[in-house]
Amino acid sequence: MKMKFHITLLLSLFIVGFATAQTQSEINIDNLNSFKQADSVLNVVYKQIQKEYKGETEFLTKLKISQRAWIKFRDAELDAIFPAKDTQYEYGTMYPTCYYIHMKRLTEQRIKQLMIWIRGFGEGETCAGSVHYKAEEGKILP
């Protein structure tokens, strides 16, 4: 009885695994789309900051410089993670998947960094700098 249960369980897992199996190309495309979704969120957050701070030209100029520097950092970070000249040969068919996983991770980190200007600081924050006071928040959220 126990053996029959295990065989049935293994067969079920195999069928489920087979039904959800993807080719490497499909996995690559899924990860590309996942990164694109994160990048879209980043663009929405960036535009929201530009809207909320539209009268603060000096800040917006420096934010733009910061964003451009972040893009250079992101690209350099990926070059450091995958330094080979022939990435496909060196890292194989998983390379595009891994590349987009790292792109998404770095993009999500940048979104968190930018959210400070949307969420704002609570009253009495002495190191707020360009970040607006927002009474409804009362503090920076993670």
Side-chain angles (χ1 to χ4, degrees), residues 117-135:
W117 281 280
I118 293 175
R119 291 187 176 137
F121 280 112
E123 188 174 10
E125 177 58 52
T126 57
C127 298
S130 62
V131 179
H132 288 169
Y133 162 70
K134 295 197 177 178

Side-chain angles (χ1 to χ4, degrees), residues 65-102:
I65 292 168
S66 172
Q67 189 63 13
R68 287 180 178 165
W70 175 80
I71 290 168
K72 287 181 182 181
F73 162 78
R74 179 201 65 194
D75 294 346
E77 184 78 359
L78 285 161
D79 285 344
I81 293 169
F82 303 109
K85 288 183 182 181
D86 186 349
T87 53
Q88 197 67 41
Y89 175 78
E90 186 72 27
Y91 308 114
T93 58
M94 282 292 295
Y95 169 71
T97 289
C98 297
Y99 180 86
Y100 290 120
I101 286 170
H102 285 287

Side-chain angles (χ1 to χ4, degrees), residues 6 8 12 14 21 37 40 46-47 52 61 63-65 69 77 81-82 90-91 102 105 110 115 120-121 123 132:
H6 288 295
T8 304
S12 298
F14 176 76
Q37 186 176 20
S40 292
Y46 188 79
K47 287 175 184 173
E52 287 187 26
T61 298
L63 178 67
K64 189 175 189 179
I65 292 168
E77 184 78 359
I81 293 169
F82 303 109
E90 186 72 27
Y91 308 114
H102 285 287
R105 179 183 53 84
R110 182 61 176 165
M115 285 301 294
F121 280 112
E123 188 174 10
H132 288 169

